[in-house]
Amino acid sequence: MSVTAPSAAELNVPVATRVISFLQLPPSGPIQTAIIYAPGNADSVAEAASIERAIGAGKGRIRVKRIAVGALGTLAGTQVAFVTGGLRGEQDEIAQAATRNHVVTITSDQSCVASARCVVAIATSPRVQITVNRAAARAVDAKFGSAFLMLVKEI
Amino acid sequence: MMRHSRMLAAIAAMALPVVPAAAQTVDYSALEAVMGEPVTTSVTGRPQRGSEVPASTVIITAEQIARSPAHDVPGLLKGYAGIDVNRWTAGQSDVAVRGGVQSYNARLLVLVDGRQVYLDHYGMTDWNLLGVPIEDIQQIELVRGPASALFGFNAASGVVNIITKKPGDAPAATLVAALGDHDRARVAGSVMVPLAAGIGIKLSAQHLREDERRVPDALLTPGRLPDVTASQVASELFVHVGRTTATVGGGYATNGQMEYLPSQILSNQFYRSGNVHASVARDTAWGGLTVSGFVNWLDATYGKDALRDRPNAALEIDNRIVSLKAAGLYRFGDNNVIRLGSEYRNNRIVGDAQFADTISYDVASVDAMLDLHFGDRVALTTAARFDRLWLGASGPVAQPAFNDPASFDRAFSRVSLNAALLVQVGANGRVRLNGGRGYQLPSLTTFGVRIPLVTATPLPFPVFVAGSPLLDPVGTWSGELGYAHDLGSTRLEATGFYTRTSDAIASPGDGLQDLLEFHLVPAPVAVARFQVAGDYQTYGVELSASGRHAALTWRTNYTWTHTDEQVGSLAAPIALAFSPRATTPQHKANVALGYDAGGRWYLAALARYTSPTRQFAFTAMQQLALFRVEDAIGIDARIGYRFTTRLAGYVAAENLTLASGVAGSPIPADRRLRAGLRLSI
């Protein structure tokens, strides 16, 4: 098994999992993490598979399960969700489900965070840039350490 | 193996620590892992990415330290632009930033985890007395240029902040043992243990010995050349409760070595230092609060074995520093921060060789920093600090007294400033315009020392070297313009700088006739004072490039430094051992290469060129003179082999080319080889 670097459009999983550690009162024990994807979107499916491979290599505390965007009712019980690209039409539903279940959403799709529907966006090209949406974080009761927030872009 | 190693790296990157990073206020390793580059707080007090700080900065990571051929912190710093490292003897090194090379450099403030390790009795740094094994360093941060607005007095030419490793989620231990030529032997170890959820402890210790370099017969030497010895033990306890982090620690270190004093006389010293420190940091929704304090003790024995017929003749200086600090960071707007801080410090020396039994000062300070961001492309940082110092002397006054005791009853104030403008140019360029006003405080020794001088030829009256309570802080103005550009994995940097230092202080040297003041009552006595030696200006250019391509890392830089000075005559006899123009090399260049594919072998090498200088030293005839130090190309290298994931070995060499001028010292450099094993559990 090999670990390959994600493409620029895909979520950088090592950075995303590190972001979780900067949550105030981060989840203890295994962290139930959803991968929200669109079954009919090839790019979304490919990104979900890429995330699974990366997490699988980690064997850490992250426990992932795929949740199709049409089955957001099963998001309950998860603490973090990795939101794949290709879900712009469903971002409202994702935000509502995340708010109901207090799930921190992390994505590589900047538009999801810019529109306050996702909490954290991660861009890695040409270098790591993390964006945190205050309103979205507040909606899911997520609080980050101040040192982390001073290094990211808060909108 | 390469694939296996990358997988381990990926696993490590995704492993979540038991102690949440958020609770550690500034967890440097976690922040570096998530941001993809080192993070520092040494420039403004707020956490910033290394590529975005509003000052010329060097950050050396634990990974770079582990592969470097260097055996100590000065050795790690010497490969960067604008840095001069003078290894005066086998044990004594001085680090100068942008010129002004001088032994016992008092213009560079050195900190370990924000706690001063710079020795205030003489205003110098003993790099063998830091109390930190090099393997225990998370990263080294060097800020070029005055940083007094954040750190106060003595950050006049720059700051070195050494960040140590902290306990993680699992027990960890490191043991290093190394042997080398020149009878070098070193053993070091550290243990980090999580005691309970959110509680961890760290213990570290090391011992080092090696032979002194051979001193040419032409130089005045102490009656005996000692070995370099250094030992230390330290411990820290970390407690994380919710959003609060508390640290309590202490350490003890000893060091014996031969050194050039500020007068450029070679002398044998023995130091014993101890410290206790504590800090509490509270992370809040709006920023954070930190309260910290430390007490440093130093017992210094100067001039051991100075005289063949009096082997026990020596001067004792006891120094104690108490410091209490509080600071608050407040975030506002999109990415703006204001920092407010205050500090109280008491610093005293007790000894027989000074004006009175105790010389001391108290300093009270307040500081403020404002970091404003205008969109994504423009950032403006301004900082100011106000310091008020009260000098004093107490206890019996040594007779005959060379000052009115009232002259020690003195207070003065200084305001330090820093400002920087950063502008993002295009997608990958960044222009930086910054500058500052900083101060070097006269040391307590410089204020109050009183040492009888042993002259080469008997004089009809005694001569003393004495400090002066009337000396003022040495002011430094600095300005610089820099540009950095990223081209893929290559980073290019260019900086032009100008620094002006006024009323620099120097120790009396040899030709004292013009410096002597005479006191006739109760008996004739002559006194040579520490005094203002003059002004100097340095300006120059620093060019750097660095990159990483697959398994190859590379870094190269060139520095041109021009020094103008307005100081006394350098014709013999030389009254003051002070000439930044003569002692600072005009040209420096470095090329560093590293190869590490994650397999069993790794290689690292540093080649460094320095142009010729002249350095002060006393001749065997007890005359202060300037000795030519030849230009030099020194090559250091290290080759390592990983036997297992836990056990690694290495062979390292410094000055493979046996270039005499590499050390920047009147004592020619030698070649030093060493080999060691490192066990990590």
Side-chain angles (χ1 to χ4, degrees):
Chain A
M1 187 179 353
S2 66
V3 175
T4 55
S7 71
E10 290 182 354
L11 183 66
N12 187 311
V13 177
V15 173
T17 54
R18 274 286 176 188
V19 166
I20 299 169
S21 71
F22 290 97
L23 282 166
Q24 294 284 2
L25 304 177
S28 58
I31 301 172
Q32 303 303 328
T33 304
I35 303 173
I36 301 176
Y37 75 112
N41 183 314
D43 288 344
S44 176
V45 172
E47 186 177 353
S50 173
I51 293 171
E52 284 174 333
R53 281 196 302 274
I55 295 293
K59 298 188 190 337
R61 292 169 50 206
I62 307 284
R63 305 281 188 268
V64 291
K65 65 172 179 179
R66 288 197 198 193
I67 294 182
V69 72
L72 289 172
T74 61
L75 198 60
T78 62
Q79 293 139 316
V80 176
F82 297 149
V83 181
T84 66
L87 301 176
R88 292 194 179 180
E90 293 82 15
Q91 286 175 356
D92 277 338
E93 290 82 355
I94 293 170
Q96 289 164 11
T99 301
R100 276 197 306 276
N101 295 289
H102 304 289
V103 174
V104 179
T105 47
I106 303 175
T107 181
S108 62
D109 184 348
Q110 300 291 324
S111 71
C112 190
V113 170
S115 60
R117 294 181 179 107
C118 292
V119 178
V120 178
I122 297 169
T124 52
S125 182
R127 61 180 195 147
V128 173
Q129 287 285 7
I130 298 171
T131 307
V132 174
N133 188 293
R134 281 197 197 92
R138 202 178 305 119
V140 301
D141 289 335
K143 296 184 177 70
F144 291 93
S146 62
F148 174 74
L149 290 176
M150 289 181 200
L151 293 164
V152 305
K153 182 177 179 182
E154 235 189 331
I155 59 176
Chain B
M1 184 64 194
M2 180 175 165
R3 175 175 292 181
H4 178 62
S5 174
R6 285 183 177 169
M7 189 183 298
L8 286 176
I11 292 168
M14 286 187 283
L16 291 179
V18 165
V19 176
Q24 297 183 36
T25 310
V26 181
D27 181 333
Y28 291 88
S29 62
L31 290 170
E32 179 184 346
V34 76
M35 303 311 295
E37 63 177 309
V39 168
T40 177
T41 60
S42 290
V43 179
T44 62
R46 71 173 284 181
Q48 290 176 294
R49 300 170 75 142
S51 61
E52 295 181 351
V53 292
S56 178
T57 308
V58 169
I59 301 178
I60 305 173
T61 64
E63 180 188 19
Q64 292 169 318
I65 293 169
R67 284 199 299 253
S68 170
H71 69 274
D72 62 1
V73 174
L76 290 160
L77 293 172
K78 72 179 181 183
Y80 291 85
I83 310 298
D84 286 299
V85 173
N86 295 77
R87 291 197 181 280
W88 304 110
T89 65
Q92 181 195 16
S93 298
D94 269 296
V95 177
V97 180
R98 293 175 174 166
V101 169
Q102 195 177 10
S103 61
Y104 274 43
N105 179 18
R107 289 183 294 277
L108 184 71
L109 186 66
V110 181
L111 313 165
V112 171
D113 295 324
R115 176 180 57 82
Q116 173 187 317
V117 291
Y118 164 103
L119 303 176
D120 256 339
H121 72 301
Y122 232 135
M124 44 84 81
T125 299
D126 179 350
W127 297 95
N128 278 329
L129 205 66
L130 297 180
V132 180
I134 196 168
E135 296 82 7
D136 194 31
I137 297 175
Q138 174 65 39
Q139 66 186 39
I140 300 168
E141 307 168 356
L142 183 143
V143 183
R144 303 181 184 94
S148 292
L150 186 62
F151 295 102
F153 289 129
N154 301 329
S157 70
V159 173
V160 173
N161 193 8
I162 298 165
I163 308 297
T164 62
K165 295 177 180 175
K166 305 293 184 289
D169 57 340
T174 302
L175 179 65
V176 177
L179 294 171
D181 58 0
H182 302 277
D183 273 348
R184 179 184 174 88
R186 177 175 180 264
V187 59
S190 66
V191 179
M192 293 190 275
V193 181
L195 301 175
I199 301 176
I201 191 168
K202 181 172 77 174
L203 304 167
S204 65
Q206 72 170 339
H207 176 73
L208 161 74
R209 79 152 307 282
E210 64 181 326
D211 290 344
E212 183 49 75
R213 298 209 297 265
R214 197 188 73 77
V215 182
D217 294 338
L219 300 180
L220 181 66
T221 58
R224 187 180 67 88
L225 297 184
D227 305 327
V228 179
T229 59
S231 303
Q232 68 97 12
V233 292
S235 178
E236 279 187 305
L237 177 70
F238 306 87
V239 179
H240 312 282
V241 180
R243 297 180 130 195
T244 302
T245 304
T247 305
V248 180
Y252 178 76
T254 65
N255 173 221
Q257 60 192 20
M258 184 173 70
E259 298 177 336
Y260 274 107
L261 299 175
S263 60
Q264 293 299 119
I265 287 178
L266 272 175
S267 171
N268 297 340
Q269 270 70 256
F270 188 75
Y271 301 100
R272 293 168 295 271
S273 76
N275 74 83
V276 294
H277 57 272
S279 69
V280 178
R282 172 77 176 168
D283 199 40
T284 70
W286 43 265
L289 290 169
T290 305
V291 178
S292 62
F294 68 84
V295 182
N296 288 355
W297 294 271
L298 174 74
D299 295 341
T301 303
Y302 274 83
K304 285 174 68 75
D305 308 305
L307 305 171
R308 290 180 194 280
D309 56 338
R310 291 165 59 200
N312 296 319
L315 299 176
E316 302 282 344
I317 298 176
D318 293 346
N319 179 212
R320 190 206 64 192
I321 306 164
V322 179
S323 170
L324 295 169
K325 281 197 277 193
L329 280 172
Y330 178 73
R331 291 186 299 119
F332 64 99
D334 284 345
N335 193 19
N336 305 313
V337 170
I338 186 168
R339 179 187 186 277
L340 299 174
S342 62
E343 180 177 7
Y344 163 77
R345 169 185 299 245
N346 172 266
N347 188 13
R348 74 176 194 195
I349 57 173
V350 177
D352 297 330
Q354 51 196 46
F355 172 81
D357 183 59
T358 301
I359 309 292
S360 65
Y361 59 69
D362 298 273
V363 181
S365 315
V366 291
D367 64 86
M369 183 281 299
L370 183 62
D371 188 28
L372 299 174
H373 291 249
F374 305 95
D376 289 339
R377 295 198 164 268
V378 179
L380 176 66
T381 306
T382 55
R385 174 168 169 136
F386 174 81
D387 288 277
R388 176 75 172 170
L389 182 146
W390 295 268
L391 181 66
S394 61
V397 174
Q399 298 298 329
F402 308 136
N403 287 93
D404 181 344
S407 59
F408 279 88
D409 186 12
R410 180 189 174 208
F412 54 80
S413 304
R414 290 294 183 274
V415 175
S416 305
L417 303 167
N418 278 103
L421 178 67
L422 279 180
V423 179
Q424 180 81 26
V425 180
N428 300 311
R430 192 171 288 109
V431 173
R432 170 177 43 82
L433 177 64
N434 64 297
R437 169 70 159 166
Y439 289 96
Q440 170 202 337
L441 190 64
S443 69
L444 284 168
T445 302
T446 307
F447 278 132
V449 74
R450 181 183 180 280
I451 304 172
L453 202 62
V454 179
T455 54
T457 53
L459 297 175
F461 46 82
V463 179
F464 285 80
V465 169
S468 170
L470 305 178
L471 287 169
D472 287 325
V474 180
T476 298
W477 278 107
S478 173
E480 60 186 89
L481 178 62
Y483 178 71
H485 196 95
D486 294 319
L487 286 173
S489 61
T490 299
R491 183 174 177 80
L492 307 172
E493 294 177 85
T495 299
F497 64 89
Y498 174 84
T499 301
R500 175 180 175 77
T501 302
S502 303
D503 298 333
I505 298 168
S507 167
D510 172 27
L512 301 178
Q513 293 87 334
D514 296 335
L515 304 182
L516 292 177
E517 59 183 54
F518 289 92
H519 296 249
L520 302 177
V521 178
V525 172
V527 179
R529 301 272 193 182
F530 278 78
Q531 59 189 268
V532 171
D535 305 335
Y536 67 94
Q537 305 82 40
T538 61
Y539 54 89
V541 175
E542 297 158 356
L543 305 173
S544 302
S546 59
R548 176 189 288 264
H549 301 284
L552 180 70
T553 55
W554 60 276
R555 176 167 50 80
T556 183
N557 56 69
Y558 165 75
T559 307
W560 172 69
T561 307
H562 180 83
T563 306
D564 290 326
E565 64 183 20
Q566 299 81 47
V567 302
S569 169
L570 296 179
I574 301 172
L576 297 171
F578 186 75
S579 174
R581 182 179 174 82
T583 56
T584 303
Q586 194 166 16
H587 304 280
K588 296 182 283 282
N590 296 284
V591 178
L593 295 173
Y595 177 81
D596 188 353
R600 291 198 179 275
W601 292 95
Y602 68 87
L603 299 164
L606 171 71
R608 176 174 172 82
Y609 168 78
T610 48
S611 58
T613 60
R614 292 182 298 161
Q615 302 294 341
F616 292 98
F618 273 82
T619 69
M621 304 302 292
Q622 298 195 26
Q623 294 171 330
L624 183 62
L626 276 165
F627 287 78
R628 180 178 169 85
V629 175
E630 300 295 340
D631 57 346
I633 297 177
I635 295 179
D636 304 340
R638 174 172 175 143
I639 181 168
Y641 185 81
R642 301 179 179 102
F643 298 101
T644 68
T645 54
R646 293 180 173 179
L647 181 65
Y650 70 90
V651 176
E654 293 178 82
N655 194 21
L656 276 168
T657 48
L658 204 54
S660 66
V662 159
S665 169
I667 303 174
D670 53 21
R671 180 193 295 132
R672 303 232 163 185
L673 307 172
R674 66 187 194 279
L677 290 172
R678 174 183 173 133
L679 178 65
S680 303
I681 302 171

